[in-house]
Amino acid sequence: MKQDTLCVQAGYKPKNGDPRVLPLYQSTTYFYESTEHVGKLFDLACEGHMYSRISNPTVAALEEKLAAMEGGVGAMMTSSGQAANLISLLNLCKSGQNFLSTAAIYGGTVNLFGVTMKKMGIEARFIDQDKPLEALLAAADENTRAVFCESLSNPSMAVADFEKLSALAKSLQVPLIVDNTFPTPINCRPFEWGADIVTHSSSKYLDGHASSVGGIIVDSGRFNWENGKFPDFCQPDESYHGVTYVKDFGAAAFIVKARVQLMRDLGSAPSPFNAYLTNMGVETLALRMQRHCETAQKAALFLESHPLVESVDYPDLPGNRYNGLAKKYMPGGTAGVVSFSLKGGREQAIRFMDALQLAAIVVHVADTRTCVLHPASATHRQLTDGQLKEAGISPGMVRLSVGIESCEDILADLAQALEKAN
Ligand SMILES: *Cc1c(COP(=O)(O)O)cnc(C)c1O
């Protein structure tokens, strides 16, 4: 089935007389007729829900939908996008090991990788994805266990060169993890370009209405865990009475280990209600992405031609440095986020934002309502000037996230605010 059909139909399959809409199972616990059955569940010898920290039927339906949309063998929802990226890396790396990450990524991820994971003894080595493969390879060593990138970076809108990054991961014999939050599986399917693991902040377009914080990890099921670098996948897990992930779960080894080991221990589980709302959001994802992209393209063209605007970062613009990669990997469009810088720098950017009437200043992106943010003083405030530059952010950059209101109204609001900022 096509993506727009999967958005609506995948995940929940009601039986005769069941509710047509995915029910909200707001329950921590499940009922069993015998102690013997509970024992089997704890041995992972039969399928079923045990406790909502590990799994829940409402959450499971959304996981199945996202796995189908990304083309993976399984998925696990988390309480946030941050938890999704953290768990996907902790599932691969331990203290003393490192991973490569492109530098142009979300500010929260820069902190997680560069500060908090560093304290855990796991080193993120930031790489400039525009450099040639040989230069990227030089950053790795025998302790490298993953390559991480964003398919479309927040907020600098750099498009990942999947061919180069998957060649990098392949030659290191480690998985390529792709945070696919911005384009969503409607506009980009990283597994088709060599990615092994996909993550999302579902707080953005998947939910789409700014109602629920959440994350998701999807497993392609294609990585060979028996190449000698990942003994935890091939040897008995002492914290799980000797389960051996590759032997017992085959292609789903990564996602099962993430759930029964890391979700069990770290507990960053989503609430069933958030999964319920996010699933409702995903039903209209294909429609919304189309509209977001159409309006963003018009807004980018308008901004590019405006005398106060110094530069516009939107990969669907013909002159953008990532236009070739966008056409190749995201031929149907990228996302509804347009980042741009004003000639008058930080002060003018702030005057512009304060003059907006329809677009609201919020610490969010990618929902139905048009919004703006000044990355240098908000999401990326913790970054040094050097890190800001690496992340592709200038002090005067405004991140505009176009909503699904009338395009005419959005453009009129931009025009009047630019006039006042002059
Ligand atoms: C927002 C975001 C995150 C973090 O997700 P939360 O749901 O806010 O924890 C991670 N990656 C990208 C690309 C994001 O935009």
Side-chain angles (χ1 to χ4, degrees), residues 78-85 105-109 148 150-155 179-182 199-204 212-215 364-366 379 399:
T78 56
S79 54
S80 66
Q82 289 295 92
N85 284 332
I105 51 173
Y106 172 64
T109 312
F148 179 94
E150 289 178 3
S151 48
L152 188 57
S153 71
N154 175 5
D179 181 334
N180 198 30
T181 298
F182 265 22
T199 62
H200 285 276
S201 164
S202 64
S203 326
K204 314 295 165 55
S212 314
V213 173
H364 196 248
V365 61
T379 46
R399 184 185 71 187

